[in-house]
């Protein structure tokens, strides 16, 4: 069907895809055949169209060593994720996963055609910065000084704070450590167990972004500035909202009002 009658296979996939995928972890005799029949949406497929891992590999860039994917609750949320920015700019395909079953089966497929499968939420993702990007970034000393203030302000809210290589248009993003679960898996774990705390994330800072450069200038003048500290908290909680992980938005809204009041003072 997949080869000779693709429309029939697509109908089968739409109706039984989640159940069929569970065969990865239960039908070990046919595991390789099932992997070849898996289908995913991606950044290059049309709406409601799918790609196989084989076709993905056939489109990989010459210097691309990994198969990239990103998971989320729905396609609208995924496509707004800042972690996609680098891959869009470099025209690198990313699999977009909204089926909860995918989060259970992908970890059991470490590689396909000798290409590792890698979530772009991971902090250790392999990206290269061109010389233009490096030139536009804050110099090393200014970046380190600002990151120190971020760390002081956020404390144990995050695992670490580092300079980002993946961001293009957004000032900050949250990523998972090498051994941490993807955010989608963590959300499912929380649904199943309300006491599940999850892991702390790593905050990445885009030192090319105008807002981050503005914060650096404030930091040079006064590292204790209330507006600097409030902006740092606002950036952190803003990305939590984007990831649907901000438990109480009241402080965020109050702080936003304070910042706007300060910005509009004569």
């Amino acid at each position: 069907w997949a080869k000779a009658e693709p429309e029939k296979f697509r109908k089968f996939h739409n109706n039984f895809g989640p159940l069929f995928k569970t065969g990865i972890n239960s039908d070990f005799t046919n595991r390789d055949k099932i992997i070849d029949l898996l289908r995913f949406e991606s950044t290059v497929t049309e709406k409601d169209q799918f790609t196989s891992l084989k076709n993905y590999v056939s489109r990989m860039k010459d210097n691309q060593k990994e198969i990239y994917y990103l998971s989320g609750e729905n396609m609208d949320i995924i496509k707004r994720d800042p972690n996609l920015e680098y891959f869009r700019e470099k025209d690198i395909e990313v699999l977009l996963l909204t089926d909860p079953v995918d989060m259970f089966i992908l970890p059991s497929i470490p590689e396909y055609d000798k290409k590792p499968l890698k979530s772009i939420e991971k902090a250790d993702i392999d990206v290269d910065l061109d010389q233009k990007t490096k030139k536009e970034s804050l110099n090393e000393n200014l970046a380190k000084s600002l990151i120190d203030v971020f760390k002081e302000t956020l404390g144990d809210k995050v695992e670490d704070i580092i300079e980002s290589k993946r961001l293009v248009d957004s000032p900050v993003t949250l990523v998972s450590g090498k051994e941490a679960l993807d955010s989608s898996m963590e959300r499912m774990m929380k649904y199943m167990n309300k006491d599940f705390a999850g892991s702390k994330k790593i905050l990445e800072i885009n030192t090319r972004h105008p807002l981050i450069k503005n914060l650096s200038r404030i930091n040079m003048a006064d590292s204790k500035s209330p507006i600097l500290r409030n902006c740092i908290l606002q950036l952190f909680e803003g990305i939590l909202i984007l990831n649907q992980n901000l438990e109480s938005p009241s402080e965020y809204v109050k702080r936003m009002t304070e910042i706007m009041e300060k910005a509009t003072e004569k």
Side-chain angles (χ1 to χ4, degrees):
W1 286 355
K3 292 178 181 177
E5 300 183 67
E7 189 54 37
K8 182 182 282 191
F9 181 76
R10 193 166 76 89
K11 186 175 181 181
F12 163 79
H13 179 272
N14 289 344
N15 288 335
F16 302 105
L19 182 60
F20 180 69
K21 290 173 183 177
T22 62
I24 294 293
N25 296 327
S26 60
D27 185 358
F28 297 106
T29 302
N30 294 301
R31 190 172 186 275
D32 290 342
K33 292 178 182 177
I34 295 171
I35 289 174
D36 277 332
L37 291 169
L38 294 177
R39 296 293 184 268
F40 307 97
E41 291 183 80
S42 86
T43 50
V44 305
T45 59
E46 299 293 330
K47 186 178 179 181
D48 297 325
Q49 298 297 314
F50 301 89
T51 182
S52 64
L53 291 174
K54 183 178 181 180
N55 286 342
Y56 177 103
V57 169
S58 73
R59 293 189 293 267
M60 285 175 64
K61 303 285 186 182
D62 290 340
N63 60 346
Q64 185 179 338
K65 300 180 180 68
E66 300 169 326
I67 296 171
Y68 299 114
Y69 67 87
L70 178 65
S71 62
E73 198 162 322
N74 60 60
M75 201 55 67
D76 287 338
I77 291 172
I78 290 180
K79 288 182 176 179
R80 292 197 301 267
D81 195 310
N83 291 323
L84 272 176
E85 291 175 0
Y86 171 87
F87 297 89
R88 282 202 187 100
E89 184 179 60
K90 301 297 183 183
D91 195 27
I92 299 171
E93 185 175 4
V94 178
L95 301 174
L96 305 177
L97 315 179
T98 57
D99 187 343
V101 174
D102 291 334
M103 283 299 89
F104 289 100
I105 66 163
L106 263 292
S108 64
I109 312 174
E111 64 176 35
Y112 178 83
D113 193 23
K114 299 182 179 178
K115 309 288 191 305
L117 273 70
K118 191 70 166 285
S119 169
I120 65 169
E121 281 189 32
K122 294 295 185 180
D124 61 341
I125 202 76
D126 183 23
V127 296
D128 294 317
L129 290 181
D130 54 36
Q131 289 303 313
K132 180 175 179 289
T133 299
K134 291 177 182 177
K135 243 184 226 187
E136 292 172 349
S137 302
L138 288 173
N139 72 48
E140 187 177 344
N141 290 334
L142 291 178
K144 182 182 182 305
S145 176
L146 184 61
I147 286 172
D148 286 343
V149 177
F150 266 79
K151 288 181 177 179
E152 187 181 320
T153 304
L154 297 179
D156 62 2
K157 289 180 170 64
V158 293
E159 178 186 332
D160 197 6
I161 300 170
I162 60 176
E163 189 172 356
S164 181
K165 294 180 180 179
R166 78 185 76 206
L167 289 174
V168 178
D169 301 314
S170 300
V172 298
T173 190
L174 283 170
V175 297
S176 303
K178 186 176 180 180
E179 304 302 326
L181 297 173
D182 284 351
S183 57
S184 295
M185 178 64 85
E186 288 199 347
R187 277 195 294 273
M188 282 192 286
M189 296 295 289
K190 286 177 183 177
Y191 290 149
M192 293 185 285
N193 178 7
K194 61 183 178 63
D195 296 323
F196 179 77
S199 58
K200 291 178 182 177
K201 302 294 184 183
I202 297 169
L203 185 73
E204 290 193 356
I205 300 173
N206 179 6
T207 59
R208 289 185 291 156
H209 196 279
L211 176 55
I212 299 300
K213 289 182 175 181
N214 291 344
L215 294 182
S216 178
R217 283 194 289 273
I218 295 173
N219 179 47
M220 284 190 289
D222 178 12
S223 64
K224 301 295 183 183
S225 165
I227 191 74
L228 171 61
R229 304 297 173 121
N230 278 339
C231 284
I232 289 171
L233 288 167
Q234 208 69 356
L235 283 169
F236 173 65
E237 292 190 359
I239 200 68
L240 288 181
I241 289 175
L242 196 61
N243 292 347
Q244 299 183 308
N245 283 326
L246 184 62
E247 294 180 359
S248 175
S250 57
E251 282 300 313
Y252 177 86
V253 173
K254 180 184 175 184
R255 196 182 305 112
M256 179 174 64
T257 303
E258 291 173 359
I259 291 172
M260 288 192 294
E261 181 182 343
K262 188 71 177 173
T264 52
E265 285 180 354
K266 290 185 179 179

